[in-house]
Amino acid sequence: VYKSTNEGGENNMKNSKATKFEGWVLLIICGVIAIAFPVVSDTLPNVVSYCHSGNTTVKITETILESQEIRDYSIHYVTDNNQLIYIKTAAGQVYKSTNEGGENNMKNSKATKFEGWVLLIICGVIAIAFPVVSDTLPNVVSYCHSGNTTVKITETILESQEIRDYSIHYVTDNNQLIYIKTAAGQVYKSTNEGKSWSLETTEEKLPHLGKKDFPIRDIVAVQADDGSAVIYLMGNDPKIWFSIDSGNSYQYVELEKSFWRVSVNPRDPYKLLAHALFDNDYVSYYTNNIVDQEFKRIDYDLFSEYSTGLPRWSINPEHNVDGMYALIARENDNRFALVYSDDIFQTTTILLNSVSSYSLVHPNKILIHRCVDMSCTYMNYLISSDGGESFEEILFPDENEDMADEKGYQEFDTSEDSIWIYVSRTVGDPNAITEYGDLFKSNAFDKDFVRTLKYVNYPYVNRIQGIEGIYVANQYIEDEHSVNKVKLNEVRSLISFNKGGEWAVIPAPEKDHNGVITNCKVEDGCSLHLHQGTERKFLIWLYNIPSSLGSIIATGNIGHYVSEKDDHMHTFYSQNGGLTWKAIKQGIHISEFGDHGSIIVMADYTDATNELFYSVNDGGSWVSCEFSDKVFDVENIRVSQGWDSREFVLYGSHHQNAILVHLDFSDAFQHGKCSADDLEEWSPTDEHGKCVMGRQVIYKRRKEGRECWFGEEHEHVSYHKNCSCSLDDYECDHCFERLDINSECTFVCTEDPLEINKLVLEGSICDTDTDLRQIENGYIRTFTYIHSFRYRLVENN
């Protein structure tokens, strides 16, 4: 673990703390030098400055000779190498330079041996009384200049270390505190947003550290209500270290067994729930307050033997702060019961039987995979909207021929009130392709779903953050004559501007990255396809942030279908939520946004590099910046959790060393902080130029070409106007779907929609406003009469 106290800058720290013995050694050495070689302090003070023009620089060094006057005939360049210069002033004083007039200009003042003794005494007292702390990692500072703007670069090397993205933790709201756990289990800390780093895994900082080769298994870091950071370091030895003062000091707790997973109470950062493995059995522990340095085993013998069934905190704000859910085993049954407890399982309430797995959705929803048969070969899907007090079965369109091969559910998105579920399928030859399936989306009550897109090339599904209703997905082209039902080598990218109600191909840019006309037209079957290719890291296929107001960076190709050839894949940029795109760079790049989208940074993700590109004017222009003298593989570029900082951390690997590069864009703007005069109104539109999700949302964003910054406290201003309804505001109703992206909603269920509930209820007919509840296998099942009307308004429209 490394720590930084100056935002990752010049004073990076490592673990080497001098003792008082070392202070005495320093005293002796300092004294010998001071007496034997009296200090020469005859260098005149000077001031260094620079002139920048484009990527060129003039260095300026200014020296003042007090009360002197220089005449031209009294300046003497003496040697052929121009280094030695003598000057005689009008007052008869002589000055000498041995570096062509640079920093080391000298006058006549030589220290005596007496001054050497004085220096000896002062040096010795300081060395003994204040032992030198030298745990700062060395770093190198450099700059990128463009016009009159500058990017400051601070590079730190972690020797023999490797960094993985999920092990970087931005902890505090002010972005200053960052923790990193390396692949070797070492922990580093920065207290200044990544400028400098210190190693935390030392005996001086972590009491009784013990094992040194892989000391820390995991980090959990949260911010308390008072702004302080609470840090948990799980040891490979049976210990856990914790800090309640943002890492300034650590305490530890001895454990029965090393924890392999811990979770912090969502409402109290000092409460921990932890799990360990004893002889292939999971054991759970709980502490009411980590400061007490005591963990108690949860005495409950019926927890599921699977890790997914272990206790987890409730996120329901109406529950007790100690509320937990878990799956418990039932005697002679492979299925489990979902239970709730608010007293650490002294008592429990069974919520639902025959549960395979479950997930919690903020604030009070529970999604359930429930076994239909004893072996759990077949499952249905239930939802609770009240924290588990009641459950209702989710209804999927009953299209038996197409749905019989479903093999699993996966929640894709729950962020915009509707629930998106990906249903994977096995069709034809299971070894022919990796996987494909269907996307389903719920209505407002989360009860019935429509299939919004089939033959989806998962996981290539993404929601565009910051603007409601925009989704991108990749789809296999249907082939009714194939045993696989799709063309295995033909995948296309689609975009929806109304939450899956309609999908369309993505028009290609007019020009490629070289400025050449693409001649790619939708009517000819040519479009833009967004993907990552083969054997790539999934970080790079499509990226945007909530506060970037429609700015997106993506990787892909232009053509009729997805191409996985490296020379076809390039980097694209959209400033309007995916409506139009520009080709900006050849090849694949990793990117990041900062300062609410005013800064975009990217670097090559395929080959080793020491060059990054950045834009501070919404992609209007891109500036090249050399960030290191070493060419290395860039793993990722990170910024604060809220994407509100102008300081980034780029990291990668070089010769088995990890490299951290802090990038400070504070001086990279032509103008200062954005004012009202720098902003203009902008509204997103769909592919037809109409309102998105039934309303015109007007945002305030920077005018084209304005190079100003927002600041961490900035919040984008917006207001909206409702629009008249059009067909774009509707999606297919339950039991209807679009057979093709350009078709109308078509009935797809096996029975008439008016007869669905009659069949399910074996002839019982319900009124439209009446539910029939019956007890079946120990749980309440709810049936609701459904009348489908081909189209329904998209949720939140």
Side-chain angles (χ1 to χ4, degrees), residues 118-180:
V118 173
L119 176 62
L120 164 64
I121 295 171
I122 295 174
C123 181
V125 170
I126 293 174
I128 297 171
F130 306 100
V132 177
V133 177
S134 57
D135 59 349
T136 297
L137 288 174
N139 55 38
V140 177
V141 178
S142 59
Y143 299 86
C144 280
H145 303 293
S146 176
N148 61 350
T149 65
T150 301
V151 177
K152 184 178 180 180
I153 302 165
T154 308
E155 178 182 332
T156 306
I157 297 177
L158 310 183
E159 295 182 355
S160 303
Q161 301 295 329
E162 178 186 354
I163 299 174
R164 295 168 183 167
D165 191 68
Y166 56 82
S167 296
I168 299 179
H169 305 268
Y170 281 80
V171 183
T172 52
D173 291 338
N174 64 6
N175 308 322
Q176 297 297 303
L177 186 61
I178 310 175
Y179 271 78
I180 290 177

XYZ file of all heavy atoms in Angstrom, residues 118-180:
492
model
N 29.180 25.006 12.573
C 27.796 25.413 12.858
C 26.813 24.515 12.119
O 25.818 24.033 12.667
C 27.582 26.896 12.487
C 26.106 27.262 12.628
C 28.462 27.785 13.350
N 27.120 24.270 10.831
C 26.255 23.403 10.040
C 26.217 21.997 10.624
O 25.169 21.350 10.664
C 26.749 23.357 8.589
C 25.998 22.418 7.643
C 24.545 22.855 7.535
C 26.647 22.417 6.273
N 27.389 21.513 11.098
C 27.461 20.197 11.720
C 26.503 20.095 12.896
O 25.731 19.138 13.029
C 28.897 19.919 12.177
C 29.109 18.769 13.174
C 28.720 17.449 12.525
C 30.545 18.739 13.644
N 26.519 21.076 13.773
C 25.695 21.033 14.981
C 24.210 21.069 14.618
O 23.395 20.288 15.117
C 26.066 22.213 15.906
C 27.514 22.041 16.388
C 25.096 22.285 17.087
C 28.050 23.253 17.133
N 23.855 21.993 13.735
C 22.444 22.127 13.342
C 21.960 20.844 12.691
O 20.889 20.308 13.015
C 22.265 23.332 12.393
C 22.593 24.626 13.133
C 20.845 23.349 11.830
C 22.589 25.847 12.235
N 22.774 20.330 11.769
C 22.412 19.115 11.043
C 22.230 17.944 12.004
O 21.293 17.157 11.897
C 23.480 18.800 10.005
S 23.156 17.343 9.008
N 23.135 17.823 12.976
C 23.068 16.725 13.923
C 21.846 16.780 14.796
O 21.176 15.763 15.031
N 21.540 17.974 15.317
C 20.358 18.124 16.175
C 19.098 17.724 15.421
O 18.234 16.993 15.929
C 20.263 19.567 16.699
C 18.913 19.783 17.388
C 21.409 19.854 17.656
N 18.982 18.192 14.186
C 17.779 17.878 13.392
C 17.698 16.384 13.122
O 16.641 15.758 13.237
C 17.789 18.672 12.077
C 17.641 20.166 12.369
C 16.686 18.183 11.144
C 17.782 21.034 11.142
N 18.851 15.785 12.772
C 18.850 14.370 12.400
C 18.458 13.486 13.565
O 17.795 12.465 13.389
C 20.229 13.974 11.878
N 18.888 13.850 14.804
C 18.597 13.017 15.967
C 17.193 13.284 16.502
O 16.433 12.370 16.823
C 19.650 13.250 17.064
C 21.036 12.812 16.562
C 19.287 12.496 18.341
C 22.165 13.194 17.484
N 16.835 14.544 16.587
C 15.536 14.901 17.172
C 14.379 14.553 16.256
O 13.297 14.185 16.709
C 15.511 16.393 17.510
N 14.591 14.669 14.951
C 13.519 14.433 13.987
C 14.000 13.422 12.954
O 14.479 13.806 11.892
C 13.105 15.742 13.302
C 12.736 16.825 14.266
C 13.654 17.831 14.581
C 11.494 16.830 14.875
C 13.316 18.823 15.469
C 11.165 17.837 15.768
C 12.074 18.834 16.072
N 13.906 12.131 13.263
C 14.364 11.114 12.312
C 13.695 11.312 10.962
O 12.497 11.579 10.876
C 13.922 9.800 12.965
C 13.814 10.116 14.418
C 13.372 11.542 14.496
N 14.449 11.131 9.918
C 13.971 11.412 8.566
C 12.914 10.397 8.153
O 13.125 9.196 8.276
C 15.145 11.374 7.571
C 14.642 11.584 6.157
C 16.168 12.433 7.948
N 11.775 10.856 7.721
C 10.743 9.988 7.162
C 10.834 10.085 5.652
O 10.614 11.137 5.072
C 9.335 10.410 7.632
C 8.285 9.534 6.971
C 9.240 10.319 9.141
N 11.167 8.970 5.005
C 11.393 9.009 3.561
C 10.561 7.941 2.879
O 11.065 7.136 2.122
C 12.878 8.801 3.251
O 13.318 7.576 3.798
N 9.247 7.870 3.223
C 8.403 6.848 2.624
C 7.670 7.353 1.384
O 6.695 6.769 0.940
C 7.401 6.302 3.641
C 6.506 7.373 4.208
O 6.783 8.555 3.979
O 5.522 7.032 4.886
N 8.147 8.429 0.814
C 7.575 8.945 -0.419
C 8.193 8.234 -1.615
O 9.413 8.170 -1.738
C 7.827 10.454 -0.552
O 7.176 11.125 0.507
C 7.297 10.967 -1.884
N 7.343 7.711 -2.497
C 7.861 7.072 -3.700
C 8.406 8.136 -4.642
O 7.791 9.191 -4.826
C 6.743 6.307 -4.413
C 6.262 5.031 -3.737
C 5.074 4.489 -4.496
C 7.368 4.002 -3.697
N 9.538 7.877 -5.256
C 10.063 8.847 -6.222
C 9.159 8.939 -7.446
O 8.503 7.979 -7.827
C 11.434 8.271 -6.588
C 11.311 6.811 -6.307
C 10.389 6.683 -5.135
N 9.116 10.114 -8.047
C 8.333 10.274 -9.262
C 9.010 11.274 -10.182
O 9.991 11.911 -9.823
C 6.896 10.710 -8.948
C 6.847 11.963 -8.101
O 7.650 12.878 -8.283
N 5.914 12.027 -7.163
N 8.461 11.384 -11.373
C 8.996 12.287 -12.380
C 7.879 13.215 -12.832
O 6.778 12.761 -13.155
C 9.553 11.509 -13.592
C 10.043 12.474 -14.663
C 10.679 10.577 -13.151
N 8.145 14.506 -12.829
C 7.162 15.509 -13.242
C 7.542 16.040 -14.623
O 8.706 16.350 -14.886
C 7.090 16.666 -12.229
C 6.100 17.734 -12.704
C 6.681 16.143 -10.862
N 6.563 16.124 -15.512
C 6.780 16.696 -16.838
C 5.515 17.442 -17.250
O 4.525 17.468 -16.520
C 7.124 15.604 -17.856
O 6.072 14.643 -17.930
N 5.551 18.041 -18.427
C 4.440 18.882 -18.875
C 4.179 18.661 -20.361
O 5.092 18.371 -21.137
C 4.747 20.367 -18.642
C 4.973 20.722 -17.199
C 6.241 20.598 -16.627
C 3.935 21.166 -16.391
C 6.458 20.912 -15.295
C 4.136 21.488 -15.061
C 5.398 21.362 -14.517
O 5.610 21.672 -13.199
N 2.908 18.780 -20.732
C 2.511 18.880 -22.141
C 1.994 20.287 -22.370
O 1.129 20.773 -21.626
C 1.397 17.887 -22.469
S 1.956 16.218 -22.742
N 2.518 20.946 -23.395
C 2.114 22.318 -23.695
C 1.406 22.366 -25.048
O 1.819 21.724 -26.013
C 3.337 23.236 -23.738
C 4.141 23.226 -22.476
N 3.664 23.715 -21.282
C 5.398 22.764 -22.218
C 4.580 23.571 -20.351
N 5.642 22.986 -20.892
N 0.334 23.127 -25.097
C -0.376 23.378 -26.351
C -0.847 24.822 -26.327
O -1.737 25.181 -25.542
C -1.569 22.426 -26.500
O -2.308 22.723 -27.669
N -0.231 25.657 -27.179
C -0.536 27.078 -27.114
C -0.153 27.606 -25.749
O 0.961 27.415 -25.282
N -1.103 28.243 -25.083
C -0.824 28.756 -23.743
C -1.470 27.890 -22.661
O -1.711 28.334 -21.552
C -1.303 30.207 -23.605
C -2.806 30.336 -23.822
O -3.454 29.380 -24.254
N -3.349 31.494 -23.521
N -1.754 26.619 -22.997
C -2.335 25.697 -22.027
C -1.333 24.600 -21.696
O -0.447 24.282 -22.491
C -3.629 25.059 -22.558
O -3.316 24.234 -23.697
C -4.621 26.130 -22.962
N -1.510 23.993 -20.522
C -0.532 23.031 -20.019
C -1.238 21.881 -19.309
O -2.218 22.080 -18.593
C 0.444 23.708 -19.033
O 1.109 24.783 -19.700
C 1.480 22.720 -18.517
N -0.724 20.670 -19.507
C -1.125 19.504 -18.729
C 0.082 19.070 -17.912
O 1.158 18.824 -18.456
C -1.586 18.340 -19.635
C -1.926 17.114 -18.788
C -2.777 18.758 -20.481
N -0.091 18.996 -16.593
C 0.994 18.571 -15.712
C 0.925 17.059 -15.516
O -0.139 16.505 -15.238
C 0.909 19.277 -14.362
C 2.061 18.948 -13.422
C 1.947 19.710 -12.107
C 3.094 19.378 -11.170
N 2.993 20.106 -9.878
N 2.065 16.400 -15.649
C 2.132 14.941 -15.615
C 3.068 14.511 -14.490
O 4.193 14.999 -14.394
C 2.653 14.393 -16.957
C 1.741 14.850 -18.104
C 2.767 12.875 -16.918
C 2.352 14.685 -19.456
N 2.603 13.618 -13.635
C 3.424 13.080 -12.553
C 3.410 11.563 -12.653
O 2.349 10.944 -12.527
C 2.897 13.523 -11.183
O 2.747 14.946 -11.158
C 3.859 13.107 -10.087
N 4.560 10.978 -12.871
C 4.675 9.542 -13.107
C 5.326 8.848 -11.912
O 6.370 9.275 -11.425
C 5.505 9.284 -14.365
C 5.726 7.825 -14.681
C 6.603 7.627 -15.901
O 6.607 8.517 -16.780
O 7.291 6.593 -15.982
N 4.689 7.781 -11.439
C 5.186 6.997 -10.312
C 5.272 5.537 -10.725
O 4.355 5.021 -11.375
C 4.248 7.125 -9.106
O 4.057 8.506 -8.798
C 4.822 6.419 -7.891
N 6.356 4.870 -10.341
C 6.550 3.460 -10.664
C 6.405 2.626 -9.389
O 7.035 2.916 -8.373
C 7.927 3.221 -11.298
C 8.040 3.969 -12.638
C 8.177 1.727 -11.511
C 9.391 3.846 -13.295
N 5.561 1.606 -9.445
C 5.446 0.622 -8.377
C 6.205 -0.620 -8.837
O 5.718 -1.375 -9.677
C 3.973 0.288 -8.088
C 3.012 1.461 -7.882
C 1.626 0.944 -7.525
C 3.524 2.403 -6.807
N 7.369 -0.822 -8.288
C 8.245 -1.876 -8.779
C 7.684 -3.265 -8.474
O 7.198 -3.528 -7.383
C 9.636 -1.727 -8.163
C 10.350 -0.444 -8.583
C 11.738 -0.341 -8.000
O 12.103 -1.230 -7.198
O 12.452 0.622 -8.349
N 7.749 -4.133 -9.511
C 7.324 -5.535 -9.400
C 5.868 -5.658 -8.981
O 5.491 -6.576 -8.244
C 8.222 -6.301 -8.416
O 9.573 -6.228 -8.815
N 5.019 -4.740 -9.425
C 3.599 -4.756 -9.086
C 2.755 -4.753 -10.349
O 3.220 -4.391 -11.433
C 3.224 -3.552 -8.211
C 3.987 -3.463 -6.897
C 3.681 -4.597 -5.953
O 2.578 -5.140 -5.948
N 4.674 -4.974 -5.160
N 1.508 -5.160 -10.192
C 0.530 -5.138 -11.276
C -0.781 -4.625 -10.717
O -1.191 -5.016 -9.617
C 0.342 -6.545 -11.856
C -0.695 -6.621 -12.957
C -0.962 -8.057 -13.394
O -0.254 -8.970 -12.914
O -1.892 -8.257 -14.188
N -1.457 -3.740 -11.458
C -2.704 -3.129 -10.991
C -3.860 -3.645 -11.838
O -3.777 -3.693 -13.068
C -2.634 -1.598 -11.087
C -1.508 -1.063 -10.198
C -3.965 -0.973 -10.668
C -1.281 0.425 -10.360
N -4.933 -4.017 -11.159
C -6.158 -4.425 -11.841
C -7.248 -3.408 -11.544
O -7.334 -2.890 -10.444
C -6.575 -5.822 -11.381
C -5.552 -6.873 -11.808
C -5.752 -8.198 -11.137
N -4.716 -9.144 -11.529
C -4.495 -10.299 -10.927
N -5.253 -10.650 -9.898
N -3.532 -11.101 -11.328
N -8.096 -3.158 -12.512
C -9.003 -2.019 -12.437
C -9.944 -2.081 -11.251
O -10.227 -1.073 -10.618
C -9.815 -1.925 -13.738
C -10.567 -0.618 -13.836
O -9.907 0.417 -13.987
O -11.795 -0.623 -13.749
N -10.444 -3.268 -10.915
C -11.410 -3.363 -9.820
C -10.767 -3.138 -8.459
O -11.459 -3.086 -7.444
C -12.118 -4.720 -9.845
C -11.190 -5.908 -9.791
C -10.671 -6.364 -8.583
C -10.834 -6.587 -10.953
C -9.823 -7.453 -8.527
C -9.982 -7.681 -10.912
C -9.481 -8.114 -9.696
O -8.630 -9.195 -9.654
N -9.440 -3.025 -8.409
C -8.747 -2.828 -7.140
C -8.353 -1.381 -6.900
O -7.538 -1.089 -6.033
C -7.498 -3.720 -7.082
O -7.858 -5.079 -7.093
N -8.912 -0.451 -7.674
C -8.677 0.979 -7.465
C -9.932 1.563 -6.822
O -11.027 1.442 -7.364
C -8.356 1.696 -8.782
C -7.085 1.111 -9.397
C -8.186 3.194 -8.558
C -6.694 1.747 -10.715
N -9.768 2.207 -5.674
C -10.912 2.697 -4.907
C -10.786 4.199 -4.669
O -9.908 4.644 -3.925
C -10.990 1.982 -3.552
C -11.024 0.486 -3.653
N -12.190 -0.232 -3.716
C -10.018 -0.425 -3.718
C -11.912 -1.517 -3.803
N -10.599 -1.663 -3.810
N -11.636 4.994 -5.332
C -11.806 6.403 -4.976
C -12.760 6.432 -3.789
O -13.909 5.999 -3.889
C -12.380 7.197 -6.143
C -11.375 7.552 -7.202
C -10.991 6.628 -8.164
C -10.809 8.820 -7.252
C -10.067 6.949 -9.144
C -9.891 9.160 -8.239
C -9.519 8.225 -9.181
O -8.604 8.553 -10.148
N -12.319 6.960 -2.651
C -13.052 6.757 -1.404
C -13.923 7.954 -1.035
O -15.092 7.794 -0.684
C -12.069 6.447 -0.254
C -12.835 6.171 1.036
C -11.190 5.260 -0.620
N -13.387 9.165 -1.086
C -14.079 10.326 -0.529
C -14.711 11.190 -1.616
O -14.282 11.180 -2.772
C -13.099 11.184 0.293
O -11.945 11.478 -0.511
C -12.651 10.432 1.525
N -15.708 11.963 -1.218
C -16.415 12.825 -2.161
C -15.510 13.902 -2.755
O -15.760 14.372 -3.868
C -17.609 13.494 -1.470
C -18.703 12.497 -1.129
O -18.747 11.434 -1.770
O -19.504 12.780 -0.219
N -14.482 14.312 -2.024
C -13.587 15.345 -2.557
C -12.515 14.769 -3.468
O -11.605 15.493 -3.903
C -12.937 16.148 -1.426
C -12.021 15.288 -0.556
O -11.781 14.120 -0.842
N -11.505 15.885 0.511
N -12.589 13.455 -3.730
C -11.734 12.764 -4.709
C -10.282 12.606 -4.276
O -9.480 12.041 -5.022
C -11.751 13.481 -6.071
C -13.142 13.729 -6.581
O -14.014 12.886 -6.416
N -13.375 14.886 -7.175
N -9.914 13.113 -3.108
C -8.502 13.126 -2.742
C -7.972 11.748 -2.358
O -6.846 11.405 -2.684
C -8.272 14.096 -1.576
C -8.599 15.546 -1.906
C -7.725 16.099 -3.004
O -6.507 16.095 -2.883
N -8.318 16.555 -4.079
N -8.768 10.961 -1.661
C -8.277 9.703 -1.105
C -8.515 8.556 -2.081
O -9.646 8.259 -2.461
C -8.965 9.410 0.227
C -8.455 8.196 1.004
C -6.986 8.356 1.361
C -9.294 7.980 2.257
N -7.423 7.891 -2.469
C -7.483 6.749 -3.375
C -6.676 5.609 -2.763
O -5.566 5.811 -2.276
C -6.913 7.076 -4.766
C -7.516 8.370 -5.340
C -7.145 5.916 -5.730
C -6.894 8.791 -6.654
N -7.242 4.402 -2.809
C -6.524 3.191 -2.395
C -6.375 2.264 -3.604
O -7.278 2.173 -4.433
C -7.280 2.459 -1.295
C -6.929 2.907 0.101
C -7.441 4.096 0.618
C -6.083 2.152 0.902
C -7.118 4.507 1.908
C -5.757 2.563 2.193
C -6.272 3.730 2.682
O -5.945 4.140 3.944
N -5.240 1.585 -3.662
C -4.983 0.592 -4.703
C -4.452 -0.674 -4.044
O -3.549 -0.614 -3.210
C -3.956 1.097 -5.735
C -4.539 2.214 -6.592
C -3.476 -0.045 -6.624
C -3.550 2.795 -7.578
